[in-house]
Amino acid sequence: MGKIVLDNCYRVGGCPFCGSPRVVPAGLIQYREPVVFATHEVILRRTPELWRCKRCLSGYVENAIPPLQAVALYEQGDSTSRWEAHSFETDKTEQLVEFVSGLIDSDVNVLDFGCNDGTMLDYVRARGCRTFGVEASAKARSVAEVKGHIVKPTLDAFPKEVVFDVVCAMDVVEHLYDIPRFLAQIAPRLAVGGVLVLLTGNINSLMARMAKNNWWYIRYPEHVRFPSLRWWRRYSGYRLVKTARVHASRGYVHPPTVGSVKNALERWMRNEYDGMPVLLPDHYVVALTLKRSVGIPR
């Protein structure tokens, strides 16, 4: 199959998180070549741009692939072929695994949103949980279903009476064009006392701040939204109960040495620093619960 030519013309104009018009451009984004979106090699007609909100400190991409086209590419892609297969507890850091395991009891309903081939669901099922997943990729969904997990292409495909004690979205929200809408959809699916657990890149981490528009995490065309911790605390409509700054996975952990710090500073002075190697955590994980009335302030 040849390369797919896409007009990445999608723009929002203001902050897609808090709605503020106080947004500023933070530079052009150069994706790695070849440009691959959900395992499809693509050619983009426009140069993507990183923007930041001065009110909630979140970041987002302008000149993104339009949402409907993105959904179609996810559905037709094979996410199982993009990432090397690991178990959840060997891929993620011990800190992150402990964070998640401390929130999950046995004999509860756990939904993994963006579950891919069910790797995380394997982990929670071994802890005695009932496992459910949402996965757009038909190929990845079939792999998870063969393992015995109940997986649907969308959240709405589950009967309305099915609720979840824990909803996880690991490395997912950066792909979503409308995170406030996602949170509103999750709200009625959370059981009383239920918790939503999210892992994503921290655009306000020291590594990301140093790399600016060259940060490795924004150089994936699928990554279009970068919510700040301030947004979760002040504007999300949920209550933040627990958070930790973490690495994306064990493979990104590189304890700083004199040599690595010197190299990073030299590259930063030449405007070549991309945040790699990751010397300090550049992701965060949050646990959220519902407020009495979930609203998304604008």
Side-chain angles (χ1 to χ4, degrees), residues 272-289:
E272 297 174 354
Y273 185 62
D274 64 355
M276 299 280 277
V278 183
L279 305 178
L280 296 170
D282 64 354
H283 277 53
Y284 62 72
V285 57
V286 295
L288 306 148
T289 59

PDB file of all heavy atoms in Angstrom, residues 272-289:
ATOM      1  N   GLU A 272      18.974  21.596  19.741  1.00  0.00           N
ATOM      2  CA  GLU A 272      18.847  20.254  19.184  1.00  0.00           C
ATOM      3  C   GLU A 272      18.281  19.254  20.198  1.00  0.00           C
ATOM      4  O   GLU A 272      18.073  18.087  19.864  1.00  0.00           O
ATOM      5  CB  GLU A 272      20.218  19.740  18.714  1.00  0.00           C
ATOM      6  CG  GLU A 272      20.828  20.566  17.595  1.00  0.00           C
ATOM      7  CD  GLU A 272      22.238  20.120  17.251  1.00  0.00           C
ATOM      8  OE1 GLU A 272      22.767  19.237  17.982  1.00  0.00           O
ATOM      9  OE2 GLU A 272      22.807  20.653  16.283  1.00  0.00           O
ATOM     10  N   TYR A 273      18.005  19.698  21.398  1.00  0.00           N
ATOM     11  CA  TYR A 273      17.584  18.776  22.445  1.00  0.00           C
ATOM     12  C   TYR A 273      16.133  18.361  22.240  1.00  0.00           C
ATOM     13  O   TYR A 273      15.253  19.204  22.042  1.00  0.00           O
ATOM     14  CB  TYR A 273      17.752  19.420  23.820  1.00  0.00           C
ATOM     15  CG  TYR A 273      17.449  18.491  24.968  1.00  0.00           C
ATOM     16  CD1 TYR A 273      18.196  17.345  25.173  1.00  0.00           C
ATOM     17  CD2 TYR A 273      16.402  18.752  25.844  1.00  0.00           C
ATOM     18  CE1 TYR A 273      17.928  16.483  26.226  1.00  0.00           C
ATOM     19  CE2 TYR A 273      16.127  17.908  26.913  1.00  0.00           C
ATOM     20  CZ  TYR A 273      16.893  16.781  27.085  1.00  0.00           C
ATOM     21  OH  TYR A 273      16.618  15.920  28.118  1.00  0.00           O
ATOM     22  N   ASP A 274      15.858  17.047  22.291  1.00  0.00           N
ATOM     23  CA  ASP A 274      14.501  16.538  22.097  1.00  0.00           C
ATOM     24  C   ASP A 274      13.944  15.847  23.342  1.00  0.00           C
ATOM     25  O   ASP A 274      12.912  15.176  23.273  1.00  0.00           O
ATOM     26  CB  ASP A 274      14.454  15.587  20.909  1.00  0.00           C
ATOM     27  CG  ASP A 274      15.294  14.332  21.113  1.00  0.00           C
ATOM     28  OD1 ASP A 274      15.996  14.241  22.143  1.00  0.00           O
ATOM     29  OD2 ASP A 274      15.256  13.445  20.236  1.00  0.00           O
ATOM     30  N   GLY A 275      14.639  16.005  24.470  1.00  0.00           N
ATOM     31  CA  GLY A 275      14.170  15.378  25.699  1.00  0.00           C
ATOM     32  C   GLY A 275      14.673  13.965  25.900  1.00  0.00           C
ATOM     33  O   GLY A 275      14.294  13.302  26.876  1.00  0.00           O
ATOM     34  N   MET A 276      15.506  13.487  24.984  1.00  0.00           N
ATOM     35  CA  MET A 276      16.067  12.142  25.079  1.00  0.00           C
ATOM     36  C   MET A 276      17.585  12.227  25.226  1.00  0.00           C
ATOM     37  O   MET A 276      18.214  13.031  24.548  1.00  0.00           O
ATOM     38  CB  MET A 276      15.720  11.336  23.832  1.00  0.00           C
ATOM     39  CG  MET A 276      14.231  11.172  23.627  1.00  0.00           C
ATOM     40  SD  MET A 276      13.508   9.894  24.641  1.00  0.00           S
ATOM     41  CE  MET A 276      13.876   8.464  23.652  1.00  0.00           C
ATOM     42  N   PRO A 277      18.196  11.392  26.066  1.00  0.00           N
ATOM     43  CA  PRO A 277      17.522  10.450  26.958  1.00  0.00           C
ATOM     44  C   PRO A 277      16.746  11.179  28.044  1.00  0.00           C
ATOM     45  O   PRO A 277      17.054  12.326  28.382  1.00  0.00           O
ATOM     46  CB  PRO A 277      18.684   9.636  27.540  1.00  0.00           C
ATOM     47  CG  PRO A 277      19.847  10.573  27.508  1.00  0.00           C
ATOM     48  CD  PRO A 277      19.667  11.387  26.261  1.00  0.00           C
ATOM     49  N   VAL A 278      15.722  10.508  28.573  1.00  0.00           N
ATOM     50  CA  VAL A 278      14.843  11.118  29.570  1.00  0.00           C
ATOM     51  C   VAL A 278      15.538  11.039  30.930  1.00  0.00           C
ATOM     52  O   VAL A 278      15.527   9.999  31.578  1.00  0.00           O
ATOM     53  CB  VAL A 278      13.477  10.408  29.595  1.00  0.00           C
ATOM     54  CG1 VAL A 278      12.549  11.111  30.585  1.00  0.00           C
ATOM     55  CG2 VAL A 278      12.861  10.389  28.201  1.00  0.00           C
ATOM     56  N   LEU A 279      16.125  12.150  31.352  1.00  0.00           N
ATOM     57  CA  LEU A 279      16.907  12.163  32.585  1.00  0.00           C
ATOM     58  C   LEU A 279      16.048  12.313  33.828  1.00  0.00           C
ATOM     59  O   LEU A 279      16.445  11.902  34.920  1.00  0.00           O
ATOM     60  CB  LEU A 279      17.932  13.297  32.520  1.00  0.00           C
ATOM     61  CG  LEU A 279      18.872  13.272  31.302  1.00  0.00           C
ATOM     62  CD1 LEU A 279      19.814  14.465  31.333  1.00  0.00           C
ATOM     63  CD2 LEU A 279      19.653  11.965  31.248  1.00  0.00           C
ATOM     64  N   LEU A 280      14.877  12.919  33.678  1.00  0.00           N
ATOM     65  CA  LEU A 280      13.910  13.078  34.771  1.00  0.00           C
ATOM     66  C   LEU A 280      12.529  12.707  34.237  1.00  0.00           C
ATOM     67  O   LEU A 280      12.284  12.802  33.028  1.00  0.00           O
ATOM     68  CB  LEU A 280      13.909  14.530  35.281  1.00  0.00           C
ATOM     69  CG  LEU A 280      15.204  15.031  35.928  1.00  0.00           C
ATOM     70  CD1 LEU A 280      15.132  16.535  36.158  1.00  0.00           C
ATOM     71  CD2 LEU A 280      15.465  14.307  37.240  1.00  0.00           C
ATOM     72  N   PRO A 281      11.605  12.291  35.090  1.00  0.00           N
ATOM     73  CA  PRO A 281      10.276  11.884  34.609  1.00  0.00           C
ATOM     74  C   PRO A 281       9.617  12.973  33.768  1.00  0.00           C
ATOM     75  O   PRO A 281       9.578  14.144  34.161  1.00  0.00           O
ATOM     76  CB  PRO A 281       9.500  11.637  35.905  1.00  0.00           C
ATOM     77  CG  PRO A 281      10.549  11.280  36.909  1.00  0.00           C
ATOM     78  CD  PRO A 281      11.736  12.120  36.562  1.00  0.00           C
ATOM     79  N   ASP A 282       9.102  12.589  32.605  1.00  0.00           N
ATOM     80  CA  ASP A 282       8.419  13.554  31.739  1.00  0.00           C
ATOM     81  C   ASP A 282       6.966  13.142  31.463  1.00  0.00           C
ATOM     82  O   ASP A 282       6.354  13.634  30.521  1.00  0.00           O
ATOM     83  CB  ASP A 282       9.177  13.763  30.427  1.00  0.00           C
ATOM     84  CG  ASP A 282       9.242  12.506  29.562  1.00  0.00           C
ATOM     85  OD1 ASP A 282       8.803  11.444  30.024  1.00  0.00           O
ATOM     86  OD2 ASP A 282       9.739  12.604  28.421  1.00  0.00           O
ATOM     87  N   HIS A 283       6.436  12.236  32.298  1.00  0.00           N
ATOM     88  CA  HIS A 283       5.034  11.840  32.250  1.00  0.00           C
ATOM     89  C   HIS A 283       4.435  12.024  33.641  1.00  0.00           C
ATOM     90  O   HIS A 283       5.158  12.255  34.614  1.00  0.00           O
ATOM     91  CB  HIS A 283       4.885  10.372  31.842  1.00  0.00           C
ATOM     92  CG  HIS A 283       4.932  10.163  30.366  1.00  0.00           C
ATOM     93  ND1 HIS A 283       5.953  10.638  29.570  1.00  0.00           N
ATOM     94  CD2 HIS A 283       4.078   9.505  29.527  1.00  0.00           C
ATOM     95  CE1 HIS A 283       5.723  10.294  28.315  1.00  0.00           C
ATOM     96  NE2 HIS A 283       4.599   9.616  28.262  1.00  0.00           N
ATOM     97  N   TYR A 284       3.116  11.927  33.710  1.00  0.00           N
ATOM     98  CA  TYR A 284       2.461  11.869  35.015  1.00  0.00           C
ATOM     99  C   TYR A 284       1.312  10.877  34.937  1.00  0.00           C
ATOM    100  O   TYR A 284       0.783  10.583  33.867  1.00  0.00           O
ATOM    101  CB  TYR A 284       1.966  13.234  35.476  1.00  0.00           C
ATOM    102  CG  TYR A 284       0.919  13.882  34.583  1.00  0.00           C
ATOM    103  CD1 TYR A 284      -0.385  13.406  34.525  1.00  0.00           C
ATOM    104  CD2 TYR A 284       1.230  15.004  33.809  1.00  0.00           C
ATOM    105  CE1 TYR A 284      -1.345  13.991  33.717  1.00  0.00           C
ATOM    106  CE2 TYR A 284       0.282  15.593  32.989  1.00  0.00           C
ATOM    107  CZ  TYR A 284      -0.996  15.089  32.953  1.00  0.00           C
ATOM    108  OH  TYR A 284      -1.947  15.662  32.142  1.00  0.00           O
ATOM    109  N   VAL A 285       0.943  10.358  36.093  1.00  0.00           N
ATOM    110  CA  VAL A 285      -0.234   9.516  36.223  1.00  0.00           C
ATOM    111  C   VAL A 285      -1.133  10.180  37.261  1.00  0.00           C
ATOM    112  O   VAL A 285      -0.649  10.712  38.270  1.00  0.00           O
ATOM    113  CB  VAL A 285       0.134   8.071  36.632  1.00  0.00           C
ATOM    114  CG1 VAL A 285       0.917   8.028  37.929  1.00  0.00           C
ATOM    115  CG2 VAL A 285      -1.104   7.186  36.726  1.00  0.00           C
ATOM    116  N   VAL A 286      -2.428  10.223  36.977  1.00  0.00           N
ATOM    117  CA  VAL A 286      -3.388  10.834  37.891  1.00  0.00           C
ATOM    118  C   VAL A 286      -4.523   9.873  38.171  1.00  0.00           C
ATOM    119  O   VAL A 286      -4.882   9.047  37.323  1.00  0.00           O
ATOM    120  CB  VAL A 286      -3.968  12.165  37.338  1.00  0.00           C
ATOM    121  CG1 VAL A 286      -2.890  13.227  37.217  1.00  0.00           C
ATOM    122  CG2 VAL A 286      -4.663  11.938  35.990  1.00  0.00           C
ATOM    123  N   ALA A 287      -5.074   9.962  39.363  1.00  0.00           N
ATOM    124  CA  ALA A 287      -6.292   9.235  39.736  1.00  0.00           C
ATOM    125  C   ALA A 287      -7.355  10.279  40.038  1.00  0.00           C
ATOM    126  O   ALA A 287      -7.120  11.216  40.813  1.00  0.00           O
ATOM    127  CB  ALA A 287      -6.047   8.348  40.953  1.00  0.00           C
ATOM    128  N   LEU A 288      -8.514  10.130  39.409  1.00  0.00           N
ATOM    129  CA  LEU A 288      -9.581  11.114  39.515  1.00  0.00           C
ATOM    130  C   LEU A 288     -10.877  10.436  39.949  1.00  0.00           C
ATOM    131  O   LEU A 288     -11.143   9.288  39.587  1.00  0.00           O
ATOM    132  CB  LEU A 288      -9.817  11.799  38.161  1.00  0.00           C
ATOM    133  CG  LEU A 288      -8.599  12.438  37.504  1.00  0.00           C
ATOM    134  CD1 LEU A 288      -8.716  12.369  36.002  1.00  0.00           C
ATOM    135  CD2 LEU A 288      -8.459  13.883  37.945  1.00  0.00           C
ATOM    136  N   THR A 289     -11.673  11.162  40.704  1.00  0.00           N
ATOM    137  CA  THR A 289     -13.009  10.692  41.055  1.00  0.00           C
ATOM    138  C   THR A 289     -14.020  11.751  40.665  1.00  0.00           C
ATOM    139  O   THR A 289     -13.675  12.915  40.424  1.00  0.00           O
ATOM    140  CB  THR A 289     -13.141  10.393  42.562  1.00  0.00           C
ATOM    141  OG1 THR A 289     -12.850  11.590  43.293  1.00  0.00           O
ATOM    142  CG2 THR A 289     -12.199   9.291  42.977  1.00  0.00           C
TER     143      THR A 289
END
